[in-house]
Amino acid sequence: ETGVTQTPRHLVMGMTNKKSLKCEQHLGHNAMYWYKQSAKKPLELMFVYNFKEQTENNSVPSRFSPECPNSSHLFLHLHTLQPEDSALYLCASSQVMASYNEQFFGPGTRLTVL
Amino acid sequence: EDQVTQSPEALRLQEGESSSLNCSYTVSGLRGLFWYRQDPGKGPEFLFTLYSAGEEKEKERLKATLTKKESFLHITAPKPEDSATYLCAVFAGGSYIPTFGRGTSLIVHP
């Protein structure tokens, strides 16, 4: 595997389900990010981890819970979601957070909440 | 209010018809401007980084330029495979979090 990988690529869940999104980066980076991408909107930053420590939580509802066990892996745990949470969820990584470096993105998870 | 504005929102070109996409920003203390390409159903793919006014970067048919207020992505003699959404993002001030624009959807017809 190379770059940033995400699983699953597609997910359909009911409002009462619990599911998790997984991200893995193979670039040796130390910062990882979760973004939400909705139609006609700019990318919305959700969470940032730098060296496994959460440094940003962009006022995200508690029904989204991130986890970063090490610098290569990032999870987004989902529970009791709403239909408006349907979107493309993107994971990204960069060398470190305290720099102005480009971010590398995974392919995303297309989430549909019924 | 958007600090990063991309225009046009959508652009249709004929193959070989050169054009430019615009990314204007109203931030203080620009630290870096990034261009990404995003194909449908995929994540953004990094294209260029520009750090200072006057800087230019090129890759195949794409050329990115930067001024103190905006950046242009010039597409020379585009091909249908250049069809994608092009995103612009900026780092500004003391923030290490980039601000993204809404993107320009480019369609190149054969």
Side-chain angles (χ1 to χ4, degrees), chain B residues 68-102:
Chain B
K68 290 185 177 181
K69 295 182 179 180
E70 59 194 346
S71 176
F72 290 95
L73 185 64
H74 307 278
I75 304 178
T76 302
K79 298 182 177 181
E81 53 262 40
D82 294 323
S83 299
T85 295
Y86 291 85
L87 300 174
C88 168
V90 304
F91 283 107
S95 175
Y96 295 108
I97 303 300
T99 300
F100 281 83
R102 295 169 188 263

Side-chain angles (χ1 to χ4, degrees), chain A residues 34-89:
Chain A
W34 279 117
Y35 284 92
K36 176 182 179 182
Q37 188 174 37
S38 305
K40 305 293 185 182
K41 289 186 177 181
L43 284 173
E44 298 175 54
L45 180 70
M46 300 176 72
F47 302 103
V48 182
Y49 279 82
N50 196 42
F51 292 96
K52 302 190 300 178
E53 298 297 320
Q54 183 175 318
T55 58
E56 294 283 336
N57 176 339
N58 203 21
S59 301
V60 179
S62 59
R63 57 186 183 270
F64 296 91
S65 174
E67 178 188 1
C68 188
N70 54 59
S71 292
S72 298
H73 294 85
L74 185 64
F75 295 89
L76 187 62
H77 303 299
L78 316 171
H79 64 97
T80 59
L81 294 190
Q82 304 297 312
E84 58 264 30
D85 296 323
S86 298
L88 182 68
Y89 288 85

Side-chain angles (χ1 to χ4, degrees), chain B residues 12-30:
Chain B
R12 292 177 180 270
L13 300 173
Q14 287 297 126
E15 184 171 3
E17 180 186 2
S18 301
S19 188
S20 297
L21 312 183
N22 177 265
C23 173
S24 64
Y25 54 92
T26 55
V27 300
S28 56
L30 180 74

Side-chain angles (χ1 to χ4, degrees), chain A residues 11-19 78-81 114:
Chain A
L11 179 62
V12 179
M13 57 187 291
M15 294 170 60
T16 59
N17 292 158
K18 289 185 180 181
K19 297 286 185 182
L78 316 171
H79 64 97
T80 59
L81 294 190
L114 302 177

Side-chain angles (χ1 to χ4, degrees), chain A residues 9 33 35 37 40-43 45 48 56 88 90 97-108 110, chain B residues 2 9 31-32 34 36 38 41-44 46 49 51 87 91-98 100-102:
Chain A
R9 293 294 311 278
Y33 310 76
Y35 284 92
Q37 188 174 37
K40 305 293 185 182
K41 289 186 177 181
L43 284 173
L45 180 70
V48 182
E56 294 283 336
L88 182 68
L90 292 163
M97 183 185 168
S99 66
Y100 305 112
N101 296 138
E102 60 273 17
Q103 296 176 339
F104 292 86
F105 287 82
R110 172 67 63 185
Chain B
D2 287 357
E9 184 175 324
R31 303 299 184 193
F34 301 82
Y36 292 86
Q38 186 173 22
K42 296 187 178 181
F46 171 71
T49 308
Y51 287 110
L87 300 174
F91 283 107
S95 175
Y96 295 108
I97 303 300
F100 281 83
R102 295 169 188 263

